[in-house]
Amino acid sequence: MKSEYPMNHFLDIHKTSAADLHGIIDQAKAMKQARQGRPKGMLDDELPLAGQMVALIFEKPSTRTRISFDVGVRQMGGQSMVLSGKDMQLGHGETIADTARVMSRYVDLIMIRTFDETVLTEMAEYATVPVINGLTDRTHPCQIMADIQTYEEHRGPIKGKKVVWAGDGNNVCASFLHAAAQFGFDLTFTGPAQLDPEEEFVGLARRAGSKVVIERDAVKAVAGADLVVADTWVSMHDSQSSKERRHNMLRPYQINDALMAHAKEDALFMHCLPAHREEEVTSSVMDGPQSVIFDEAENRLHAQKAIMRWCLGL
Ligand code: CP
Ligand code: NVA
C-alpha cells in the first residue's frame, strides 16, 4: 500500500502497510528483549533518536501515552517535550496548519492526542515532520500495536484468532477492526446496537477477509474466544450527561468470571486502561490469571519506540 503522504506518519493502522506493521512489532519485541532488567532511566544500547527532538501534544488527559512516549524518547537518546493543547495558541485560535508548519521548524517528530480526527489529519498534511496519532475520538492505533505485541508474546501469532470486543464500539474498537484487516484475525463485536462500531470500519475489515460478527448476546459472542477485550463505557469525548444511559445499555456486556468461562480456556483478557473496576470489568477478571492488562500498558513503551523509529526511518 502506498502512503498518501511523502513521509511516514503513523495516523491509523490501516494507513500503514501490513509488512511495515509486522516490522514494527518485531522491532518492539527485540528492543524490549534487549533491555530486560535494565533500570528504566538507562539508555538503550543503540541510540537512534540521538539529536532528535520530539513534541508530545495532549488535548485530553493521559497517563500511559504521556509517560510511555516520554520515557521511550529518552531511552533512545532523544529529547522530548510534553505540551498541553490548551496552553498552546492552538487552543486559542491559531490554525492547525500554521501550528504544524511552525512546530516543524523546531522538532523532528510530533505526537498528538486530540478530539476531532481532522486536527490530526490537518497536522499531518501541513507538518514537514512525521506525525503520530496518540488517540482521537475515532481511533487509537498505538494502543492496538501494543496489544498485538502483548497477544503474540503470550500466545504466538494473532493471525486467524478470534478476538471479542465487548461494550462500546468506540475509538479503541475501531483500531482493533483496522488491525483485524492488517494482521488477519477475526473480530466479534458484542454490545447494544446504538453503540455499534462505524460501518466504514466493519466494512474495511470484511473487505480485507476478516470475519466480523455483530452478536447482541454476550455469552454467544464470547464462545470460543482467544482474546476478550473491554474498554470504558464512557470515553473522554462522551458527554457526562450520557453516562447513566450508556451504563444502562452496557451493563449486560460487563466482563466477569461467568462470561469469561465461555471463552477458550487459554483466552486472554485485555483492557487499554484506565478501567472502571466493577463497571465494564470486574476486579476478579482484571486481577485474574487471564488478564494481561499491565503487559499491555508496558508494551505501549516498546511498541511506540518502534513506531517512532519507523516514522523517522531510524
Ligand atoms: N490507554 C491509554 O491510552 O491510556 P492514557 O489515556 O492514560 O494515555
Ligand atoms: N475509549 C477511551 C480510551 C482511553 C485510552 C477514551 O477515548 O476515553
Side-chain angles (χ1 to χ4, degrees):
M1 186 195 332
K2 196 171 161 358
S3 167
E4 59 189 291
Y5 299 102
M7 72 195 87
N8 284 342
H9 294 308
F10 190 76
L11 300 182
D12 270 319
I13 288 185
H14 62 298
K15 293 181 180 162
T16 298
S17 73
D20 283 5
L21 293 171
H22 281 100
I24 290 169
I25 299 281
D26 289 346
Q27 180 151 63
K29 290 177 188 164
M31 289 174 78
K32 178 179 182 179
Q33 191 60 38
R35 61 172 297 125
Q36 280 300 329
R38 211 174 265 208
K40 317 281 190 300
M42 194 178 275
L43 293 171
D44 288 346
D45 290 331
E46 278 183 81
L47 299 175
L49 261 62
Q52 303 286 319
M53 186 62 76
V54 181
L56 308 170
I57 307 173
F58 290 90
E59 297 200 282
K60 288 178 179 172
S62 166
T63 296
R64 280 142 288 268
T65 308
R66 179 188 309 249
I67 301 171
S68 56
F69 264 106
D70 199 352
V71 170
V73 172
R74 295 180 200 208
Q75 288 182 349
M76 294 193 290
Q79 298 193 64
S80 56
M81 67 190 74
V82 179
L83 304 162
S84 155
K86 69 177 183 312
D87 294 334
M88 297 171 67
Q89 299 293 7
L90 183 66
H92 300 272
E94 186 165 20
T95 66
I96 315 294
D98 288 346
T99 305
R101 288 181 284 213
V102 169
M103 287 188 71
S104 301
R105 302 288 179 106
Y106 301 133
V107 305
D108 302 292
L109 179 63
I110 299 169
M111 191 284 320
I112 181 164
R113 165 170 288 194
T114 189
F115 290 87
D116 197 317
E117 184 178 62
T118 59
V119 173
L120 174 79
T121 48
E122 201 172 328
M123 186 72 88
E125 191 176 338
Y126 290 96
T128 54
V129 301
V131 174
I132 296 174
N133 176 359
L135 179 145
T136 69
D137 295 356
R138 238 178 144 212
T139 61
H140 194 7
C142 292
Q143 178 67 52
I144 276 49
M145 292 298 280
D147 293 352
I148 304 285
Q149 181 185 350
T150 306
Y151 185 87
E152 297 200 336
E153 282 175 353
H154 284 271
R155 295 284 183 268
I158 196 164
K159 189 173 166 59
K161 300 292 180 186
K162 176 178 175 179
V163 175
V164 176
W165 178 276
D168 179 13
N170 65 14
N171 46 2
V172 181
C173 177
S175 288
F176 255 110
L177 281 164
H178 292 154
Q182 298 281 51
F183 289 91
F185 57 85
D186 296 333
L187 191 137
T188 296
F189 169 82
T190 186
Q194 298 93 316
L195 300 177
D196 274 349
E198 287 182 46
E199 196 46 56
E200 178 190 331
F201 298 149
V202 171
L204 193 140
R206 282 186 178 149
R207 282 193 301 280
S210 296
K211 187 172 153 200
V212 180
V213 174
I214 309 279
E215 169 58 65
R216 303 285 167 224
D217 181 330
V219 169
K220 281 189 195 152
V222 163
D226 296 288
L227 170 63
V228 178
V229 193
D231 188 13
T232 180
W233 287 344
V234 185
S235 283
M236 292 182 274
H237 59 271
D238 292 320
S239 70
Q240 279 304 310
S241 61
S242 67
K243 186 173 170 182
E244 195 180 328
R245 187 175 51 84
R246 297 175 72 89
H247 276 228
N248 288 337
M249 281 193 289
L250 287 159
R251 211 157 279 128
Y253 300 97
Q254 182 196 62
I255 308 298
N256 49 41
D257 290 320
L259 189 59
M260 280 303 285
H262 294 276
K264 277 193 186 152
E265 217 171 313
D266 69 344
L268 297 178
F269 170 74
M270 288 193 188
H271 190 307
C272 65
L273 306 179
H276 301 78
R277 287 173 176 260
E278 321 313 335
E279 292 181 7
E280 69 268 15
V281 56
T282 58
S283 287
S284 61
V285 172
M286 280 183 75
D287 302 328
Q290 289 167 290
S291 171
V292 290
I293 54 176
F294 299 113
D295 293 337
E296 284 179 86
E298 177 183 340
N299 284 337
R300 293 294 303 278
L301 169 66
H302 308 295
Q304 289 159 191
K305 285 169 74 174
I307 290 168
M308 289 189 275
R309 289 186 72 163
W310 174 82
C311 284
L312 292 164
L314 296 168

